[in-house]
Amino acid sequence: MLMNKLSKQQNSVSITKTLPNTTSKEISIYNSHITDKKLKEFSTKEDLMLMNSLIVRWANYVGVETPEASQLNMLANFIKEHFPTFNAYDLKECISMLASQSLETDAEHYGKISPIYVSKVLKAYQEHKNNVVFKVRENIEKLKEAEVVPMPNEERIANFKKLLTIAKNENTQGLTYIDSGDSLYNFIKHNRLMPITKDNLDPVLIAEAMEYGNKLYIEQRKKKVTETVIKNQDFKRISDMEYDKKDMIRKYAREFVVGKYLLIMNLEELLEKINIEMLKY
């Protein structure tokens, strides 16, 4: 629980000035999305009182009669059930935007706070929030990319030489080299070291690679099914695997190509001639 909380805090943005083209309000929406307690986690008496107080504020801000206690509880449960990933800040911000007419919605209350009205308003806010979270997250990534100091060419080459050496050694031992991030495959493709580009394609190699990928996928799926049955686990893992079937087969096929290349690769010769241009992919 503590590690999860720390992780959330690290993903939040504490200083608005460090994030260009982003307002303090957008930062607040994003930070609350990352760190604040979700409505689906509301379970205490204090949580219910907070929800009810926000609904009362909503009624006061839009100028309608305050719902009775039973209605307040019903509306609180409705919001919690249908908008479980919202947090208290979301409700406060939504009410504020609604009152200032800055929320794009045609929802009409007709004199009372009803579930239908609440749903229309919160859906409009959800769209606004999604856009904000996406924008802030994108700006954070841009900022991180700008802060990254490029690795010196000499270091990149040295690291890749180590990678090639490890891969060749594993291949020589009869092991399948797991090409994480497709680093070697992209290197092979970029430097046209195997006939896998559009203008130089070996259909036999591609067919063999896809056959290998499909065969390995079937083997891995059987292992997952057996493990799931033995450990009495959720079969959703198998469903997820089926959903990713094409990507997994292609990944295994790419590793087959890498394995084929490692078999014929002259390590010493390649280590001698490798240069930074060969790594620009």
Side-chain angles (χ1 to χ4, degrees):
M1 183 68 74
L2 177 60
M3 290 299 294
N4 188 40
K5 186 175 181 180
L6 289 173
S7 176
K8 286 182 177 181
Q9 289 174 345
Q10 288 170 355
N11 287 329
S12 65
V13 182
S14 57
I15 305 174
T16 310
K17 291 180 181 178
T18 63
L19 203 59
N21 305 316
T22 312
T23 67
S24 59
K25 185 68 70 176
E26 289 170 337
I27 293 288
S28 296
I29 291 174
Y30 177 83
N31 280 344
S32 68
H33 172 70
I34 297 295
T35 63
D36 287 8
K37 186 177 182 179
K38 309 295 184 189
L39 297 187
K40 64 182 178 182
E41 299 167 342
F42 277 26
S43 58
T44 66
K45 181 180 178 181
E46 289 73 20
D47 290 335
L48 180 61
M49 289 174 63
L50 175 58
M51 288 279 287
N52 287 355
S53 69
L54 289 171
I55 296 170
V56 169
R57 179 191 295 189
W58 190 333
N60 291 335
Y61 274 34
V62 298
V64 300
E65 186 177 341
T66 301
E68 295 181 0
S70 60
Q71 284 292 104
L72 284 174
N73 290 338
M74 180 273 292
L75 288 168
N77 287 328
F78 175 84
I79 294 171
K80 179 181 172 182
E81 179 182 351
H82 291 87
F83 299 90
T85 60
F86 276 17
N87 53 66
Y89 183 84
D90 286 324
L91 296 182
K92 293 174 186 176
E93 180 62 15
C94 177
I95 294 166
S96 177
M97 292 182 69
L98 189 63
S100 63
Q101 298 184 335
S102 57
L103 182 66
E104 292 186 19
T105 177
D106 58 358
E108 295 285 349
H109 54 67
Y110 300 110
K112 66 176 183 177
I113 306 291
S114 67
I116 293 177
Y117 165 69
V118 165
S119 181
K120 288 191 71 173
V121 171
L122 292 183
K123 282 181 180 177
Y125 175 79
Q126 187 167 42
E127 184 175 352
H128 167 72
K129 177 184 176 179
N130 289 345
N131 290 336
V132 168
V133 170
F134 178 81
K135 173 186 175 181
V136 175
R137 187 176 288 142
E138 191 175 50
N139 286 344
I140 290 172
E141 288 304 314
K142 287 179 180 177
L143 187 65
K144 286 180 179 178
E145 289 173 5
E147 292 175 344
V148 173
V149 178
M151 185 183 295
N153 290 342
E154 295 78 9
E155 189 175 345
R156 281 189 65 191
I157 293 172
N159 287 342
F160 202 80
K161 284 182 176 181
K162 291 177 184 177
L163 179 68
L164 285 170
T165 303
I166 292 170
K168 182 64 176 180
N169 288 341
E170 289 190 6
N171 183 263
T172 302
Q173 295 173 39
L175 303 173
T176 299
Y177 176 71
I178 306 302
D179 187 24
S180 301
D182 290 330
S183 297
L184 277 187
Y185 179 83
N186 290 330
F187 171 78
I188 293 166
K189 186 175 182 179
H190 173 71
N191 293 288
R192 304 170 67 85
L193 301 174
M194 291 285 279
I196 54 175
T197 56
K198 287 184 179 180
D199 57 346
N200 181 30
L201 199 65
D202 181 352
V204 175
L205 174 62
I206 300 303
E208 288 178 349
M210 293 304 292
E211 182 181 354
Y212 170 85
N214 190 61
K215 181 180 178 182
L216 191 55
Y217 169 81
I218 292 172
E219 290 176 1
Q220 294 299 322
R221 189 178 187 281
K222 285 180 180 178
K223 287 181 182 178
K224 283 284 185 186
V225 170
T226 303
E227 182 183 338
T228 300
V229 172
I230 292 174
K231 295 184 178 180
N232 195 28
Q233 295 174 334
D234 191 346
F235 268 85
K236 184 179 181 298
R237 299 169 68 213
I238 309 301
S239 301
D240 291 343
M241 195 172 177
E242 188 66 32
Y243 181 78
D244 296 330
K245 180 178 179 180
K246 285 186 178 179
D247 288 339
M248 293 178 71
I249 290 175
R250 287 171 181 164
K251 173 62 178 172
Y252 296 146
R254 291 194 293 272
E255 287 182 353
F256 176 86
V257 172
V258 170
K260 282 283 188 180
Y261 174 70
L262 290 172
L263 282 172
I264 63 173
M265 181 183 80
N266 185 318
L267 180 62
E268 289 72 21
E269 183 180 305
L270 184 56
L271 294 180
E272 280 292 324
K273 72 176 185 180
I274 194 168
N275 58 62
I276 194 59
E277 294 301 319
M278 298 177 73
L279 303 182
K280 291 182 176 180
Y281 53 86

